[in-house]
Amino acid sequence: MIHTLFCITTPFALLSAFATPFELVHSLKTSKATHLFVEPSLLATALAAAKEVGLPESHIHILEGHVDGRKSWGEMINEVRAKKVPREPIRQATQDTLAYLVFSSGTSGLPKGPSSP
């Protein structure tokens, strides 16, 4: 998934699987995430945090494994292949293009993302 996002210059944020619901809400707000990919064991926390920040449930997907009613990353890939959707061309990045955000663990407070200069 990360390589795909790099190729189409779509920024992403890596959020901690160990985040509490409160920390996850903070990270989602800070990153302005529009979609969330989680492991099945983290789905309940993701749903609760997404509801609080207004992220639609339909924008929460399963990274690996299977959960009834939700598409996994692998299922999305298979669907695209079955429909023979053309590949997106690689989009050029500039020196100002955001690639990804990384958040600290929040050991001394809320998770910290990038700060403005």
Side-chain angles (χ1 to χ4, degrees):
M1 176 186 292
I2 289 173
H3 290 184
T4 300
L5 295 170
F6 278 143
C7 286
I8 61 173
T9 51
T10 299
F12 59 91
L14 302 170
L15 306 178
S16 175
F18 299 104
T20 66
F22 180 71
E23 291 168 336
L24 183 56
V25 165
H26 174 75
S27 296
L28 289 171
K29 285 179 180 177
T30 303
S31 68
K32 299 179 184 172
T34 59
H35 287 76
L36 189 57
F37 287 81
V38 300
E39 296 295 324
S41 63
L42 302 173
L43 183 59
T45 302
L47 287 169
K51 183 176 182 180
E52 190 166 331
V53 300
L55 182 66
E57 280 194 29
S58 62
H59 289 203
I60 301 173
H61 312 285
I62 303 303
L63 194 54
E64 292 183 304
H66 178 78
V67 173
D68 288 337
R70 300 209 175 267
K71 285 187 185 177
S72 71
W73 176 244
E75 289 168 331
M76 289 179 192
I77 291 171
N78 291 338
E79 186 176 303
V80 166
R81 287 180 177 157
K83 291 180 179 180
K84 298 184 178 180
V85 175
R87 284 183 177 249
E88 271 292 304
I90 292 175
R91 298 180 195 154
Q92 294 299 313
T94 68
Q95 69 182 35
D96 296 330
T97 302
L98 175 64
Y100 57 91
L101 299 172
V102 177
F103 286 82
S104 74
S105 64
T107 54
S108 62
L110 288 171
K112 292 155 188 72
S115 58
S116 300

